[in-house]
Amino acid sequence: MGRDPSVFLHECALCESDDVGPRTRVWAFAHIMRGARVGADCNIGEHAFVESGATLGNRVTVKNAVLIWEKVTIEDEVFLGPNMVFTNVRNLRAALRPKPEEFLPTLVRRGAAIGANATIVCRVTIGEKALVGAGSVVADDVPAYALVVGNPARRIAWVCDCGAELPPSLACACGLRYRLVGDREGLVQP
């Protein structure tokens, strides 16, 4: 099959996967394992790790030192801040190493952004265009367009496509308007 010739691999990057989309850039000391899928136009920062069985959509930004494990799915246009990590096991014990079929999935929906040093505990969904604040620990689902912060992460606001915090009317100064579907589902554009 072979990798698209437009893929940039820094001379110190290790990319074992041929399933890397066109125009993706992989920087020094990043490691993409065989069996990982990376879409087009992605940017994989230094010291990032993408394990076999992880999937990244198109136009995903993976900043330095991000760890993406098996069964983590990242949809298109997601931002992953420096040093943020995912998990794929909830009840880890060194003496009871889980088998790959016991790993739990995580899904990050289109356009979400996760801040620096955040931890995303497995078996959660980060909703479309949601924002996870730096240093937050996410152990429950995050609704679409929610801004969550803290440990454990809690919703403190709703945010617009443009990233601005929305007022109670859910009408942004940029002109976009939203409708609340429910606290667990989040917002939609009418």
Side-chain angles (χ1 to χ4, degrees):
M1 172 168 139
R3 200 175 297 121
D4 188 283
S6 67
V7 172
F8 168 79
L9 294 177
H10 187 279
E11 64 186 30
C12 293
L14 176 57
C15 185
E16 300 168 313
S17 176
D18 285 333
D19 198 354
V20 176
R23 298 169 306 283
T24 287
R25 297 167 297 173
V26 182
W27 296 98
F29 310 109
H31 183 180
I32 301 173
M33 292 182 71
R34 180 175 291 111
R37 299 179 64 201
V38 178
D41 300 302
C42 293
N43 189 50
I44 311 296
E46 293 185 2
H47 297 279
F49 178 75
V50 183
E51 190 173 40
S52 297
T55 301
L56 281 69
N58 299 320
R59 297 169 303 284
V60 173
T61 298
V62 178
K63 298 306 273 184
N64 295 358
V66 171
L67 305 176
I68 305 170
W69 306 109
E70 184 173 344
K71 292 195 178 178
V72 172
T73 301
I74 311 293
E75 291 185 347
D76 296 344
E77 300 168 352
V78 168
F79 176 87
L80 303 175
N83 295 299
M84 68 80 44
V85 297
F86 292 94
T87 70
N88 61 4
V89 176
R90 279 199 178 237
N91 300 317
L92 184 61
R93 294 283 188 247
L96 303 171
R97 300 193 76 176
K99 297 172 183 63
E101 58 271 12
E102 296 173 318
F103 295 156
L104 300 170
T106 297
L107 174 62
V108 181
R109 294 270 186 209
R110 183 181 66 83
I114 301 174
N117 296 305
T119 299
I120 310 301
V121 178
C122 57
R123 203 172 50 204
V124 301
T125 297
I126 307 294
E128 181 177 341
K129 303 284 179 90
L131 297 179
V132 175
S136 297
V137 177
V138 176
D140 292 309
D141 291 348
V142 175
Y145 295 94
L147 169 59
V148 298
V149 298
N151 179 7
R154 298 283 183 243
R155 185 180 64 78
I156 62 165
W158 297 110
V159 291
C160 179
D161 273 8
C162 73
E165 187 174 320
L166 291 168
S169 67
L170 302 179
C172 187
C174 76
L176 292 175
R177 301 182 66 81
Y178 298 86
R179 177 175 58 81
L180 179 63
V181 177
D183 284 340
R184 296 185 61 77
E185 297 84 8
L187 304 180
V188 295
Q189 292 183 30

